[in-house]
Amino acid sequence: MTDPRTAASWRLAPHTGAKLAILGAYLRAWFPILGRGGFPRVLYIDGFAGPGRYAGGEDGSPIVALKALGSQANLDDTAFEFHFVERKRRAVMALKANIAELRSNGGIAANAQVFVHENQTFEQAYREKIKPRLLQSLRAPAFALVDPFGWTGLPMAIMSELMSRPSTEVLVNFMFEEINRFLGHYQQGGNFDDLFATNAWRQAGSLSGVERKAYVHNLYRDQLIKAAGARYVRTFEMLNDRGASDYFLYFATKNFLGLSKMKEAMWKVDPGGGNRFSDMTNLDQFVLLQPEPDLHVLQRQLLQRFSASIVSVNEIERFVVEETAFHAGHFKKVLLNMESSGKLVVVDPVAQRRRGTFRDGAMRLRFS
Ligand SMILES: C[S@@+](CC[C@H](N)C(=O)[O-])C[C@H]1O[C@@H](n2cnc3c(N)ncnc32)[C@H](O)[C@@H]1O
């Protein structure tokens, strides 16, 4: 008999596993920050939920999210609402079976309320079911995963409504390879206008190769800022087994801590650079030879920016997270090395400090 949990599933590609690893790592950081931040309600939205399980039994995005909350302790003062939207009937049935199994194993937190918006598109469910819930809790933080198969049904107008709320962020899977292939299709103009909220995508028609890729990538990023109102956008590239760009994940937020935690999640999946994953990666070798970040680059960037000036640890962290490829965990290692080699001195406070520690954000340093 067919297993109802995988009856509508497909094989998990390595880069899909990487996407889910980023999602899980981020949510395991995000849920506790909000749960301990005094918010009575938090909403999690998965606009293209899928069946909840891949053909090989791996967790799909709804289960990854539910487990990320289920694995946390002491978040009982916050009610977490999960909204899963799935258009296809068979996938909905599988999703419900996978949620029921997780519940029967005790994997769903008692303070989680799960809604499956079935046989509806993301746009319909958003307007009719999710938006009214968001309006009931105007200050509630929200996170939306938008993970379609194509480029329709995720208009920039919805990103903009979501981003207009406080503490709301989106993670969009932008299907670059398909979008790039269909940009010139005469029947798709309206859909691309909705996706980008501008007709500037038409200019990609005169470009090719890497120029075209950069143009399309940057246009969507810039629109998340200009049209949707994000303050920060961080992208992560997924390459297929031929080394070509398959899609880009775009994380958009107005929140510095959100950006910081997402960068850490992305670096976990790409320990060498924090910005791409390739299906060509030989996973056996990868485990033996974990790539290392080149922290000399960060040291050079710090010296270029702060040479001969006095700055606080907090200012350095903001610079690193906002303006470099690195994350907050990296720069303290660099500061440690720079202090040992005499390239920086701590000017305040000097008393009662253990050399090599930079825990106090107000601590001020001078770079030589
Ligand atoms: C890429 S898959 C989602 C994978 C899932 N997020 C995961 O990572 O496990 C896209 C899913 O969206 C569903 N879908 C397609 N168009 C949709 C729409 N307009 N609204 C909601 N769901 C849709 C498809 O049936 C499919 O299950």
mmCIF file of all heavy atoms in Angstrom, residues 10 16 19-20 46-52 54 59-62 85-88 91 120-123 145 147-149 152-153, ligand 1:
data_model
loop_
_atom_site.group_PDB
_atom_site.id
_atom_site.type_symbol
_atom_site.label_atom_id
_atom_site.label_comp_id
_atom_site.label_asym_id
_atom_site.label_seq_id
_atom_site.Cartn_x
_atom_site.Cartn_y
_atom_site.Cartn_z
ATOM 1 N N TRP A 10 8.459 13.983 -3.804
ATOM 2 C CA TRP A 10 9.485 13.859 -4.836
ATOM 3 C C TRP A 10 10.843 13.761 -4.129
ATOM 4 O O TRP A 10 10.939 13.957 -2.915
ATOM 5 C CB TRP A 10 9.425 15.035 -5.809
ATOM 6 C CG TRP A 10 9.526 16.382 -5.161
ATOM 7 C CD1 TRP A 10 10.653 17.103 -4.924
ATOM 8 C CD2 TRP A 10 8.441 17.174 -4.627
ATOM 9 N NE1 TRP A 10 10.345 18.289 -4.290
ATOM 10 C CE2 TRP A 10 8.995 18.357 -4.098
ATOM 11 C CE3 TRP A 10 7.047 16.998 -4.546
ATOM 12 C CZ2 TRP A 10 8.218 19.352 -3.501
ATOM 13 C CZ3 TRP A 10 6.281 17.985 -3.947
ATOM 14 C CH2 TRP A 10 6.863 19.140 -3.437
ATOM 15 N N THR A 16 18.134 21.367 -2.142
ATOM 16 C CA THR A 16 16.901 21.536 -1.359
ATOM 17 C C THR A 16 17.196 21.215 0.105
ATOM 18 O O THR A 16 16.704 21.882 1.018
ATOM 19 C CB THR A 16 15.784 20.619 -1.902
ATOM 20 O OG1 THR A 16 15.648 20.875 -3.289
ATOM 21 C CG2 THR A 16 14.472 20.873 -1.198
ATOM 22 N N LYS A 19 18.734 24.245 1.527
ATOM 23 C CA LYS A 19 17.700 25.269 1.827
ATOM 24 C C LYS A 19 17.021 24.958 3.158
ATOM 25 O O LYS A 19 16.831 25.832 4.003
ATOM 26 C CB LYS A 19 16.668 25.275 0.691
ATOM 27 C CG LYS A 19 15.431 26.101 0.967
ATOM 28 C CD LYS A 19 14.356 25.851 -0.090
ATOM 29 C CE LYS A 19 13.663 24.515 0.141
ATOM 30 N NZ LYS A 19 12.683 24.178 -0.905
ATOM 31 N N LEU A 20 16.659 23.678 3.347
ATOM 32 C CA LEU A 20 15.957 23.293 4.578
ATOM 33 C C LEU A 20 16.880 23.405 5.789
ATOM 34 O O LEU A 20 16.430 23.726 6.894
ATOM 35 C CB LEU A 20 15.404 21.871 4.436
ATOM 36 C CG LEU A 20 14.287 21.770 3.384
ATOM 37 C CD1 LEU A 20 13.984 20.321 3.047
ATOM 38 C CD2 LEU A 20 13.025 22.484 3.869
ATOM 39 N N ASP A 46 3.973 29.408 5.801
ATOM 40 C CA ASP A 46 4.661 28.680 4.718
ATOM 41 C C ASP A 46 3.689 28.710 3.535
ATOM 42 O O ASP A 46 2.676 27.997 3.525
ATOM 43 C CB ASP A 46 4.966 27.248 5.185
ATOM 44 C CG ASP A 46 5.862 26.485 4.200
ATOM 45 O OD1 ASP A 46 5.884 26.858 3.010
ATOM 46 O OD2 ASP A 46 6.521 25.524 4.628
ATOM 47 N N GLY A 47 3.967 29.570 2.565
ATOM 48 C CA GLY A 47 3.007 29.846 1.492
ATOM 49 C C GLY A 47 2.897 28.755 0.445
ATOM 50 O O GLY A 47 1.925 28.703 -0.314
ATOM 51 N N PHE A 48 3.892 27.894 0.356
ATOM 52 C CA PHE A 48 3.924 26.810 -0.646
ATOM 53 C C PHE A 48 4.468 25.591 0.103
ATOM 54 O O PHE A 48 5.616 25.203 -0.061
ATOM 55 C CB PHE A 48 4.829 27.190 -1.819
ATOM 56 C CG PHE A 48 4.370 28.408 -2.593
ATOM 57 C CD1 PHE A 48 4.533 29.688 -2.083
ATOM 58 C CD2 PHE A 48 3.760 28.266 -3.842
ATOM 59 C CE1 PHE A 48 4.109 30.809 -2.794
ATOM 60 C CE2 PHE A 48 3.339 29.377 -4.560
ATOM 61 C CZ PHE A 48 3.512 30.650 -4.036
ATOM 62 N N ALA A 49 3.605 25.015 0.944
ATOM 63 C CA ALA A 49 4.098 24.115 1.992
ATOM 64 C C ALA A 49 4.592 22.771 1.480
ATOM 65 O O ALA A 49 5.498 22.179 2.053
ATOM 66 C CB ALA A 49 3.005 23.912 3.036
ATOM 67 N N GLY A 50 3.969 22.250 0.415
ATOM 68 C CA GLY A 50 4.358 20.914 -0.052
ATOM 69 C C GLY A 50 3.819 19.833 0.873
ATOM 70 O O GLY A 50 3.099 20.114 1.838
ATOM 71 N N PRO A 51 4.181 18.566 0.635
ATOM 72 C CA PRO A 51 3.608 17.442 1.386
ATOM 73 C C PRO A 51 4.211 17.222 2.774
ATOM 74 O O PRO A 51 3.729 16.363 3.516
ATOM 75 C CB PRO A 51 3.910 16.239 0.482
ATOM 76 C CG PRO A 51 5.055 16.655 -0.378
ATOM 77 C CD PRO A 51 5.029 18.142 -0.506
ATOM 78 N N GLY A 52 5.290 17.929 3.101
ATOM 79 C CA GLY A 52 5.849 17.781 4.451
ATOM 80 C C GLY A 52 6.890 16.685 4.571
ATOM 81 O O GLY A 52 7.505 16.509 5.628
ATOM 82 N N TYR A 54 9.846 14.306 1.986
ATOM 83 C CA TYR A 54 10.394 13.966 0.662
ATOM 84 C C TYR A 54 10.352 12.450 0.479
ATOM 85 O O TYR A 54 10.136 11.697 1.450
ATOM 86 C CB TYR A 54 11.809 14.544 0.522
ATOM 87 C CG TYR A 54 11.743 16.043 0.305
ATOM 88 C CD1 TYR A 54 11.632 16.916 1.375
ATOM 89 C CD2 TYR A 54 11.703 16.575 -0.983
ATOM 90 C CE1 TYR A 54 11.505 18.287 1.185
ATOM 91 C CE2 TYR A 54 11.574 17.939 -1.184
ATOM 92 C CZ TYR A 54 11.474 18.784 -0.105
ATOM 93 O OH TYR A 54 11.345 20.141 -0.308
ATOM 94 N N ASP A 59 12.432 15.411 6.111
ATOM 95 C CA ASP A 59 11.402 16.391 6.481
ATOM 96 C C ASP A 59 11.282 17.487 5.443
ATOM 97 O O ASP A 59 12.278 18.036 4.970
ATOM 98 C CB ASP A 59 11.766 17.063 7.819
ATOM 99 C CG ASP A 59 11.720 16.084 8.976
ATOM 100 O OD1 ASP A 59 11.000 15.071 8.869
ATOM 101 O OD2 ASP A 59 12.409 16.344 9.991
ATOM 102 N N GLY A 60 10.030 17.860 5.128
ATOM 103 C CA GLY A 60 9.781 19.034 4.297
ATOM 104 C C GLY A 60 9.692 20.272 5.175
ATOM 105 O O GLY A 60 9.730 20.186 6.417
ATOM 106 N N SER A 61 9.540 21.428 4.536
ATOM 107 C CA SER A 61 9.643 22.684 5.290
ATOM 108 C C SER A 61 8.639 22.807 6.450
ATOM 109 O O SER A 61 9.012 23.314 7.520
ATOM 110 C CB SER A 61 9.554 23.891 4.354
ATOM 111 O OG SER A 61 8.368 23.876 3.613
ATOM 112 N N PRO A 62 7.378 22.343 6.329
ATOM 113 C CA PRO A 62 6.466 22.512 7.479
ATOM 114 C C PRO A 62 6.941 21.728 8.705
ATOM 115 O O PRO A 62 6.856 22.211 9.841
ATOM 116 C CB PRO A 62 5.129 21.941 6.962
ATOM 117 C CG PRO A 62 5.232 21.989 5.475
ATOM 118 C CD PRO A 62 6.667 21.769 5.157
ATOM 119 N N VAL A 85 0.093 26.699 3.644
ATOM 120 C CA VAL A 85 -0.789 26.794 2.476
ATOM 121 C C VAL A 85 -0.313 25.795 1.433
ATOM 122 O O VAL A 85 0.878 25.754 1.103
ATOM 123 C CB VAL A 85 -0.740 28.208 1.840
ATOM 124 C CG1 VAL A 85 -1.782 28.315 0.719
ATOM 125 C CG2 VAL A 85 -0.942 29.290 2.889
ATOM 126 N N GLU A 86 -1.236 24.997 0.922
ATOM 127 C CA GLU A 86 -0.864 24.055 -0.139
ATOM 128 C C GLU A 86 -2.058 23.921 -1.081
ATOM 129 O O GLU A 86 -3.180 23.686 -0.654
ATOM 130 C CB GLU A 86 -0.453 22.704 0.457
ATOM 131 C CG GLU A 86 -0.210 21.589 -0.526
ATOM 132 C CD GLU A 86 0.759 21.908 -1.668
ATOM 133 O OE1 GLU A 86 1.878 22.387 -1.426
ATOM 134 O OE2 GLU A 86 0.359 21.686 -2.837
ATOM 135 N N ARG A 87 -1.770 24.057 -2.377
ATOM 136 C CA ARG A 87 -2.841 24.076 -3.368
ATOM 137 C C ARG A 87 -3.300 22.679 -3.776
ATOM 138 O O ARG A 87 -4.467 22.452 -4.044
ATOM 139 C CB ARG A 87 -2.335 24.833 -4.600
ATOM 140 C CG ARG A 87 -3.422 25.155 -5.583
ATOM 141 C CD ARG A 87 -2.880 25.922 -6.734
ATOM 142 N NE ARG A 87 -1.933 25.130 -7.519
ATOM 143 C CZ ARG A 87 -1.320 25.563 -8.616
ATOM 144 N NH1 ARG A 87 -1.532 26.799 -9.030
ATOM 145 N NH2 ARG A 87 -0.496 24.802 -9.279
ATOM 146 N N LYS A 88 -2.370 21.743 -3.809
ATOM 147 C CA LYS A 88 -2.723 20.420 -4.382
ATOM 148 C C LYS A 88 -3.295 19.489 -3.336
ATOM 149 O O LYS A 88 -2.716 19.302 -2.265
ATOM 150 C CB LYS A 88 -1.473 19.778 -4.989
ATOM 151 C CG LYS A 88 -1.102 20.380 -6.308
ATOM 152 C CD LYS A 88 -0.473 19.319 -7.217
ATOM 153 C CE LYS A 88 -0.190 19.881 -8.582
ATOM 154 N NZ LYS A 88 1.226 19.919 -8.886
ATOM 155 N N ALA A 91 -1.059 16.626 -2.015
ATOM 156 C CA ALA A 91 0.004 17.128 -1.130
ATOM 157 C C ALA A 91 -0.586 17.522 0.222
ATOM 158 O O ALA A 91 0.051 17.319 1.274
ATOM 159 C CB ALA A 91 0.710 18.309 -1.784
ATOM 160 N N GLN A 120 -5.900 25.815 -1.686
ATOM 161 C CA GLN A 120 -5.954 27.245 -2.009
ATOM 162 C C GLN A 120 -4.576 27.694 -2.452
ATOM 163 O O GLN A 120 -3.575 27.084 -2.064
ATOM 164 C CB GLN A 120 -6.287 28.042 -0.753
ATOM 165 C CG GLN A 120 -7.755 28.049 -0.385
ATOM 166 C CD GLN A 120 -8.032 29.130 0.647
ATOM 167 O OE1 GLN A 120 -7.374 29.172 1.678
ATOM 168 N NE2 GLN A 120 -8.981 29.994 0.365
ATOM 169 N N THR A 121 -4.558 28.779 -3.220
ATOM 170 C CA THR A 121 -3.247 29.329 -3.546
ATOM 171 C C THR A 121 -2.781 30.192 -2.373
ATOM 172 O O THR A 121 -3.581 30.599 -1.523
ATOM 173 C CB THR A 121 -3.280 30.212 -4.812
ATOM 174 O OG1 THR A 121 -4.080 31.352 -4.509
ATOM 175 C CG2 THR A 121 -3.819 29.462 -6.006
ATOM 176 N N PHE A 122 -1.474 30.476 -2.378
ATOM 177 C CA PHE A 122 -0.913 31.345 -1.344
ATOM 178 C C PHE A 122 -1.639 32.693 -1.343
ATOM 179 O O PHE A 122 -2.032 33.208 -0.291
ATOM 180 C CB PHE A 122 0.588 31.528 -1.599
ATOM 181 C CG PHE A 122 1.251 32.556 -0.726
ATOM 182 C CD1 PHE A 122 1.063 32.561 0.653
ATOM 183 C CD2 PHE A 122 2.087 33.515 -1.278
ATOM 184 C CE1 PHE A 122 1.681 33.506 1.461
ATOM 185 C CE2 PHE A 122 2.714 34.462 -0.479
ATOM 186 C CZ PHE A 122 2.505 34.455 0.887
ATOM 187 N N GLU A 123 -1.863 33.250 -2.530
ATOM 188 C CA GLU A 123 -2.508 34.564 -2.603
ATOM 189 C C GLU A 123 -3.901 34.532 -1.978
ATOM 190 O O GLU A 123 -4.255 35.416 -1.204
ATOM 191 C CB GLU A 123 -2.625 35.019 -4.062
ATOM 192 C CG GLU A 123 -1.360 35.649 -4.592
ATOM 193 C CD GLU A 123 -1.533 36.147 -6.018
ATOM 194 O OE1 GLU A 123 -1.441 35.319 -6.935
ATOM 195 O OE2 GLU A 123 -1.766 37.350 -6.201
ATOM 196 N N LEU A 145 7.856 31.928 4.727
ATOM 197 C CA LEU A 145 8.645 31.196 3.735
ATOM 198 C C LEU A 145 7.818 31.143 2.455
ATOM 199 O O LEU A 145 6.666 30.717 2.485
ATOM 200 C CB LEU A 145 8.932 29.775 4.234
ATOM 201 C CG LEU A 145 9.571 28.833 3.205
ATOM 202 C CD1 LEU A 145 10.986 29.273 2.844
ATOM 203 C CD2 LEU A 145 9.594 27.389 3.723
ATOM 204 N N ASP A 147 8.063 29.590 -1.139
ATOM 205 C CA ASP A 147 8.907 28.590 -1.796
ATOM 206 C C ASP A 147 8.145 27.913 -2.945
ATOM 207 O O ASP A 147 7.746 26.759 -2.837
ATOM 208 C CB ASP A 147 9.314 27.565 -0.709
ATOM 209 C CG ASP A 147 10.231 26.487 -1.231
ATOM 210 O OD1 ASP A 147 10.874 26.694 -2.278
ATOM 211 O OD2 ASP A 147 10.301 25.423 -0.586
ATOM 212 N N PRO A 148 7.938 28.655 -4.032
ATOM 213 C CA PRO A 148 7.097 28.132 -5.116
ATOM 214 C C PRO A 148 7.879 27.217 -6.054
ATOM 215 O O PRO A 148 9.092 27.050 -5.917
ATOM 216 C CB PRO A 148 6.706 29.405 -5.854
ATOM 217 C CG PRO A 148 7.920 30.271 -5.702
ATOM 218 C CD PRO A 148 8.493 29.961 -4.349
ATOM 219 N N PHE A 149 7.184 26.654 -7.046
ATOM 220 C CA PHE A 149 7.865 25.927 -8.115
ATOM 221 C C PHE A 149 8.236 26.869 -9.263
ATOM 222 O O PHE A 149 9.124 26.587 -10.025
ATOM 223 C CB PHE A 149 6.961 24.820 -8.662
ATOM 224 C CG PHE A 149 7.090 23.521 -7.902
ATOM 225 C CD1 PHE A 149 5.972 22.734 -7.656
ATOM 226 C CD2 PHE A 149 8.322 23.065 -7.469
ATOM 227 C CE1 PHE A 149 6.083 21.523 -6.983
ATOM 228 C CE2 PHE A 149 8.446 21.866 -6.793
ATOM 229 C CZ PHE A 149 7.319 21.090 -6.550
ATOM 230 N N THR A 152 4.941 32.469 -10.378
ATOM 231 C CA THR A 152 3.616 33.091 -10.227
ATOM 232 C C THR A 152 3.107 32.844 -8.802
ATOM 233 O O THR A 152 3.517 31.901 -8.131
ATOM 234 C CB THR A 152 2.606 32.489 -11.222
ATOM 235 O OG1 THR A 152 2.568 31.069 -11.013
ATOM 236 C CG2 THR A 152 2.988 32.785 -12.657
ATOM 237 N N GLY A 153 2.221 33.727 -8.387
ATOM 238 C CA GLY A 153 1.573 33.530 -7.093
ATOM 239 C C GLY A 153 2.360 34.062 -5.915
ATOM 240 O O GLY A 153 2.009 33.776 -4.765
HETATM 241 C C1 LIG B 1 8.701 23.827 -4.021
HETATM 242 S S1 LIG B 1 7.328 22.982 -3.433
HETATM 243 C C2 LIG B 1 7.366 23.334 -1.702
HETATM 244 C C3 LIG B 1 8.398 22.591 -0.942
HETATM 245 C C4 LIG B 1 8.331 22.833 0.534
HETATM 246 N N1 LIG B 1 8.341 24.260 0.855
HETATM 247 C C5 LIG B 1 9.508 22.172 1.212
HETATM 248 O O1 LIG B 1 10.594 22.776 1.245
HETATM 249 O O2 LIG B 1 9.380 21.057 1.701
HETATM 250 C C6 LIG B 1 5.973 23.970 -3.927
HETATM 251 C C7 LIG B 1 4.610 23.483 -3.444
HETATM 252 O O3 LIG B 1 3.677 24.526 -3.690
HETATM 253 C C8 LIG B 1 2.461 23.989 -4.177
HETATM 254 N N2 LIG B 1 1.864 25.086 -4.970
HETATM 255 C C9 LIG B 1 2.024 25.362 -6.281
HETATM 256 N N3 LIG B 1 1.424 26.532 -6.573
HETATM 257 C C10 LIG B 1 0.892 26.991 -5.421
HETATM 258 C C11 LIG B 1 0.193 28.166 -5.069
HETATM 259 N N4 LIG B 1 -0.071 29.122 -5.968
HETATM 260 N N5 LIG B 1 -0.166 28.342 -3.797
HETATM 261 C C12 LIG B 1 0.124 27.404 -2.846
HETATM 262 N N6 LIG B 1 0.767 26.246 -3.125
HETATM 263 C C13 LIG B 1 1.165 26.058 -4.394
HETATM 264 C C14 LIG B 1 2.875 22.775 -4.970
HETATM 265 O O4 LIG B 1 1.806 21.847 -5.023
HETATM 266 C C15 LIG B 1 4.082 22.261 -4.180
HETATM 267 O O5 LIG B 1 3.662 21.307 -3.228
#
